[in-house]
Amino acid sequence: VKQVASLALVSSACDMVSTAYASTKESHPYIRSVCDAAEKGVKSVTGATASCMQPVLTTLEPHVAAASEYASKGLDKLGEKLPLLQKPVEQIISDTKELVSSRVADAKGAVSS
């Protein structure tokens, strides 16, 4: 999970969502009250679940470690094959806009000639 979260694409996307969430909460008082209630509920469920699951997690720890290592290797390979994952969302959007503009300009040039 840490490795996925550290990918530039995932990290920047999370930052964008977080910023939009915070902005929406600040701009709309009714949504803020609903979000605050939901956040409290999630915190309470998370706390209760964590304490109940601890014995199970301790038992499964070797299996989780093996799965984590396997997933980590898979993510490394995926990162090699998809360098897009190492770019922030803003750069991907900018690159895409440039590519589309270039293709449209090429098409216009071909049509006019």
Side-chain angles (χ1 to χ4, degrees):
V1 172
K2 288 179 184 176
Q3 190 174 0
V4 170
S6 70
L7 293 171
L9 176 63
V10 174
S11 176
S12 66
C14 288
D15 289 345
M16 288 177 71
V17 169
S18 178
T19 300
Y21 178 77
S23 173
T24 301
K25 272 181 65 172
E26 291 303 314
S27 301
H28 305 285
Y30 296 117
I31 292 176
R32 180 182 324 142
S33 62
V34 171
C35 290
D36 288 343
E39 289 171 14
K40 286 178 186 174
V42 167
K43 285 178 186 175
S44 129
V45 168
T46 302
T49 304
S51 63
C52 293
M53 292 300 297
Q54 192 56 48
V56 175
L57 291 176
T58 302
T59 304
L60 294 176
E61 189 173 353
H63 305 291
V64 171
S68 179
E69 184 178 336
Y70 182 73
S72 179
K73 289 177 183 178
L75 282 170
D76 288 341
K77 287 182 181 179
L78 189 61
E80 291 171 9
K81 301 217 183 265
L82 294 172
L84 184 73
L85 295 173
Q86 305 304 329
K87 295 181 180 181
V89 172
E90 297 85 0
Q91 185 178 358
I92 293 169
I93 291 170
S94 174
D95 292 350
T96 302
K97 285 180 181 178
E98 288 177 25
L99 179 63
V100 169
S101 294
S102 171
R103 299 290 187 221
V104 168
D106 291 347
K108 283 181 182 178
V111 167
S112 36
S113 65

